[in-house]
Amino acid sequence: MGQNESSLKTQGAHDASQGDSQKVFDAFTSIPPSALSSIRSKADLRHIKSRLSKWELRSLYAAFHDLKTTFSDNFECIELKNFLDVLELPTSVEPAGILLFKSFSYLASFPKCDEAGPIPLTLDGFLTAFVIITGKLEKDQTLGAKFEDFFLKSIAVLPANIKGEDSDVVTGNTSQEEPQMEGDSDIKPAASRGLSLADLGVNFDEDDHLKDVTEANDNEKDEHNVQILCRDISTILSFLLWIVRVEWEETPYPVQGNNSCEEETKMADNIVASISSIPPTEDASDLPCISLSQFRQWRTQNAPNLFKSLQSFIYNKFAMYEHPTIQSSTSRSEIVMSADVTPKPDKTEVLTTMYAAMISWNLPENAMSQKQWNLLFNADSDGYAMNNFISHVFKYPGPTLLVLQVEAIGTATSSLSLSSSYQELSTSASGPKHGSSPLRRFSSSAHLLNTPKSMLLGAYIPEPWKQPKQYWGSSECFIFELGPNYEIYRPIGKGQQYIYCHKDFGIAFGGTSSFNGPPTSQRSRTSTSPQNAFLLTLDDSLQKGTYVQDEFPAAPTFGKGRTREKFAYFFETASMEVFGMGGQKARVTQASDWQFDKREAERRAGVNIRKDGKGVDRQLLQMAGVIDDDVGQDK
């Protein structure tokens, strides 16, 4: 950004003696200053303020007083430089701050955003934008404003409401809906539904061709007409991922210096590419866009909680505002409200801050209430076996998270072809993979990959683990892939085969067949087994599994991903971790239940376990299922 960024920061530092507020209006909109009071009625403004508590209002008034610029004609508003200063963002993340200012300026004209577009950030506009962004009008019966819709429209480059020239919205004819307020005739439709970065001093010559794209889509629905730059979506996503990294780091906020977010930007670019179906590129000359409807569909499936940390960040900055001198004396370092901090694993070799953030975008509220995930099982240290898994994970009374780092070494055209070749793939995976051939083909539809493909897979399990001889689980369960693609697979109501777990079988998620009986052992497959069609499986060794999405499954439990129409992989497990998400109390309950079962087994057997572990007492306890020679320890 360089020179443009410097000009942005100095743009707001007006000297009152060098001009008046008209310059600010000219930079934002075609609305004259005299029409600003007619943006919203006094009743609307009173209602907006009523959504704020007294202490919230005091903080917001104090923030505006410290950040405002006062012009020679006594006009007051917050300008970009001061807005960025209070956000305290490092240089690498500052473009997100510019987009937030753009959003505030657009929402400041609520409820006439369509007609007025962005306006200078006066006190009333600042309060209005804050109330919308923090979701305080989300379920309001009088001025209901859904945060997500208004926020996305506020950062849009293209018009969101393109009607004909005779449209009531464009002409301002509201006689049938509400009486025209005095001064409404001064309000002219803005040239754009959003304040683009160019309007803020960042010049992009390519913006002109985006207007041409809009004109070609005049007859489309409003949602499709709202176009958001892929670059801006990526900026917001990388900002949200960066927030989680700062939450987890011990370095006090604000972060000093550039604080590069290259990893977050790379991940954000990949996510945006999957939404838009446009590969990420360093050449931004084409400025591809995502429609509002495209983004909403992606967000609903892959990140329902996406904007929670953004809302908390804004709330913390302004509703908890303190004068800089007070901040420095109290050393307040939170970047979001403590209740909204992303949960953190107590120990992990797999989950990075980015991956934890992406999982948290999808978790229900009860799973987010505990801010530390307890590692229950690590296959590398606890052992790759179902008995070990059961002894560490079962009886945990809260939701759990299973995470798999895998190496896909074989592929097939479908679940049936993968099932028929499972044993051959499994046997060959343990020996030399390819010899002198680039791949070893077992049939016309299954073969080993020349280069293993690393993947990060997993599942959210909302209820305690068990091993009945039938499927279990609920619609809160979801399966995920965090790398190399980002996919969330959610139940769609066609099937109920959420989870199957048994020590003689292994673990399976997301049945896709119409066969309702228990699946056959994965080790005993000798032919096609339609009852073994699942989205994700692990055999009873926990060392091998499958990851499959058929093109036309018979009765899918989970919906399809967005990045691929079909795939079928055979993989080997590189790492496996299971986290408890119910807090320390759940961990204590689990340990207590295992101890109770052990005492009950001892009482029924009428003997005590001898320290050397030999004799009839041990045999009785094995029969009772309390200990297992394969595990080598008490359950």
Side-chain angles (χ1 to χ4, degrees):
M1 254 179 178
Q3 199 171 11
N4 281 328
E5 185 179 273
S6 176
S7 64
L8 277 169
K9 288 190 173 182
T10 57
Q11 176 183 339
H14 290 286
D15 188 335
S17 65
Q18 294 179 354
D20 57 25
S21 60
Q22 186 61 52
K23 292 181 180 179
V24 179
F25 279 90
D26 291 342
F28 275 83
T29 180
S30 57
I31 300 175
S34 59
L36 197 60
S37 60
S38 64
I39 288 292
R40 66 187 65 80
S41 67
K42 292 182 179 179
D44 285 346
L45 183 59
R46 282 195 301 270
H47 184 76
I48 289 170
K49 289 182 177 181
S50 73
R51 311 308 296 171
L52 298 165
S53 66
K54 290 183 179 180
W55 65 265
E56 287 173 333
L57 275 171
R58 281 198 297 269
S59 293
L60 292 169
Y61 283 140
F64 183 84
H65 181 270
D66 287 349
L67 301 177
K68 69 182 180 181
T69 298
T70 303
F71 295 86
S72 57
D73 54 357
N74 294 322
F75 178 78
E76 298 177 340
C77 69
I78 298 175
E79 297 191 275
L80 178 60
K81 179 183 181 298
N82 293 338
F83 188 89
L84 292 178
D85 285 346
V86 78
L87 297 187
E88 301 177 292
L89 299 176
T91 305
S92 60
V93 188
E94 198 165 77
I98 296 172
L99 289 175
L100 291 176
F101 180 77
K102 175 181 177 180
S103 179
F104 264 77
S105 301
Y106 174 85
L107 298 176
S109 63
F110 178 83
K112 295 186 177 293
C113 301
D114 286 344
E115 299 97 321
I119 63 173
L121 206 52
T122 62
L123 175 60
D124 291 346
F126 173 62
L127 296 177
T128 300
F130 175 87
V131 167
I132 296 173
I133 286 181
T134 54
K136 292 180 176 291
L137 289 182
E138 193 86 15
K139 298 180 180 179
D140 186 79
Q141 298 297 317
T142 304
L143 294 174
K146 190 175 180 181
F147 156 75
E148 180 186 320
D149 290 348
F150 276 86
F151 176 72
L152 293 174
K153 289 177 182 178
S154 72
I155 64 173
V157 176
L158 304 183
N161 198 353
I162 306 174
K163 309 285 186 183
E165 289 185 0
D166 297 330
S167 169
D168 288 346
V169 175
V170 173
T171 60
N173 181 8
T174 59
S175 58
Q176 296 180 1
E177 303 259 341
E178 65 179 42
Q180 185 174 0
M181 293 188 296
E182 184 179 355
D184 273 0
S185 58
D186 291 331
I187 299 180
K188 298 179 176 59
S192 169
R193 280 300 309 270
L195 181 63
S196 70
L197 294 181
D199 295 327
L200 293 170
V202 181
N203 295 318
F204 297 114
D205 296 334
E206 300 91 336
D207 279 355
D208 292 335
H209 97 278
L210 295 175
K211 297 178 182 178
D212 297 334
V213 174
T214 305
E215 294 172 1
N217 295 325
D218 280 349
N219 296 323
E220 292 183 3
K221 294 181 180 180
D222 287 350
E223 277 194 2
H224 294 283
N225 286 334
V226 181
Q227 298 289 316
I228 309 168
L229 284 173
C230 289
R231 179 183 55 212
D232 290 349
I233 292 291
S234 180
T235 295
I236 293 296
L237 291 176
S238 60
F239 170 62
L240 297 175
L241 293 171
W242 173 83
I243 285 178
V244 178
R245 173 155 62 86
V246 174
E247 291 173 8
W248 283 22
E249 288 176 348
E250 296 182 359
T251 305
Y253 177 80
V255 179
Q256 301 298 321
N258 183 62
N259 194 246
S260 173
C261 57
E262 291 181 7
E263 290 299 317
E264 290 85 353
T265 299
K266 182 179 179 180
M267 177 63 74
D269 287 344
N270 288 336
I271 292 175
V272 169
S274 71
I275 304 172
S276 63
S277 300
I278 301 172
T281 175
E282 294 182 2
D283 182 11
S285 59
D286 291 335
L287 286 180
C289 290
I290 296 173
S291 71
L292 175 58
S293 61
Q294 268 184 299
F295 187 81
R296 181 184 285 116
Q297 290 171 7
W298 173 85
R299 198 273 312 162
T300 299
Q301 177 173 335
N302 293 278
N305 305 329
L306 179 66
F307 293 117
K308 188 172 183 178
S309 58
L310 183 148
Q311 291 177 294
S312 186
F313 175 81
I314 292 297
Y315 188 91
N316 195 46
K317 281 297 174 185
F318 295 112
M320 306 295 291
Y321 179 82
E322 295 174 344
H323 192 275
T325 56
I326 299 177
Q327 287 185 14
S328 60
S329 63
T330 59
S331 300
R332 187 168 59 87
S333 60
E334 297 84 0
I335 191 170
V336 297
M337 302 298 292
S338 58
D340 299 320
V341 170
T342 300
K344 180 179 181 180
D346 56 357
K347 292 180 289 185
T348 181
E349 297 174 1
V350 176
L351 283 183
T352 65
T353 57
M354 284 195 303
Y355 292 142
M358 292 155 67
I359 292 171
S360 296
W361 290 347
N362 297 277
L363 294 175
E365 188 172 345
N366 66 313
M368 291 289 290
S369 60
Q370 299 296 329
K371 298 307 176 184
Q372 187 174 79
W373 298 338
N374 299 119
L375 182 63
L376 304 179
F377 176 72
N378 182 326
D380 290 333
S381 57
D382 298 323
Y384 282 89
M386 280 299 294
N387 285 328
N388 298 352
F389 175 83
I390 290 169
S391 66
H392 285 79
V393 176
F394 275 41
K395 298 189 181 297
Y396 185 82
T400 53
L401 188 73
L402 182 149
V403 183
L404 299 170
Q405 182 74 55
V406 307
E407 295 289 326
I409 59 174
T411 187
T413 57
S414 68
S415 59
L416 286 176
S417 59
L418 187 64
S419 180
S420 63
S421 302
Y422 185 91
Q423 286 301 322
E424 293 176 294
L425 286 167
S426 180
T427 302
S428 299
S430 302
K433 299 290 192 297
H434 317 296
S436 58
S437 173
L439 57 83
R440 180 174 296 173
R441 187 175 295 279
F442 301 103
S443 68
S444 60
S445 56
H447 63 265
L448 288 176
L449 294 173
N450 186 38
T451 303
K453 185 175 185 178
S454 294
M455 296 180 173
L456 188 61
L457 311 174
Y460 169 73
I461 301 90
E463 57 192 77
W465 284 84
K466 45 187 169 285
Q467 54 172 340
K469 291 189 176 180
Q470 65 262 1
Y471 299 98
W472 55 278
S474 71
S475 58
E476 284 192 345
C477 177
F478 63 84
I479 313 301
F480 56 81
E481 177 186 343
L482 302 180
N485 300 294
Y486 176 54
E487 297 278 19
I488 303 294
Y489 302 94
R490 297 187 181 280
I492 56 175
K494 290 185 178 180
Q496 303 295 315
Q497 300 174 358
Y498 301 106
I499 307 166
Y500 185 83
C501 176
H502 196 275
K503 65 178 182 179
D504 297 328
F505 171 84
I507 306 170
F509 299 97
T512 61
S513 75
S514 56
F515 180 79
N516 291 320
T520 60
S521 172
Q522 301 187 74
R523 288 175 181 259
S524 64
R525 296 185 195 180
T526 56
S527 61
T528 56
S529 305
Q531 64 265 41
N532 281 64
F534 294 97
L535 175 59
L536 179 63
T537 70
L538 274 173
D539 70 12
D540 58 352
S541 73
L542 304 181
Q543 297 181 64
K544 298 180 177 68
T546 61
Y547 178 42
V548 181
Q549 177 174 285
D550 283 327
E551 189 170 7
F552 301 108
T557 302
F558 296 93
K560 286 188 174 183
R562 296 174 57 90
T563 59
R564 294 153 294 184
E565 187 64 26
K566 64 175 183 176
F567 56 83
Y569 292 109
F570 172 83
F571 63 75
E572 291 183 328
T573 308
S575 295
M576 177 180 179
E577 295 181 341
V578 180
F579 300 93
M581 309 171 85
Q584 193 59 35
K585 185 177 180 180
R587 197 81 165 96
V588 171
T589 300
Q590 181 195 30
S592 176
D593 286 350
W594 275 121
Q595 288 297 320
F596 175 81
D597 281 6
K598 178 180 176 181
R599 289 193 300 269
E600 280 298 294
E602 292 173 353
R603 183 184 63 79
R604 291 194 303 269
V607 291
N608 294 319
I609 301 178
R610 292 197 294 267
K611 291 183 179 180
D612 60 3
K614 298 177 181 179
V616 65
D617 51 348
R618 185 170 185 83
Q619 294 174 6
L620 288 172
L621 290 172
Q622 286 176 338
M623 294 173 62
V626 176
I627 60 175
D628 193 303
D629 284 334
D630 293 335
V631 179
Q633 60 182 7
D634 292 355
K635 287 187 178 180

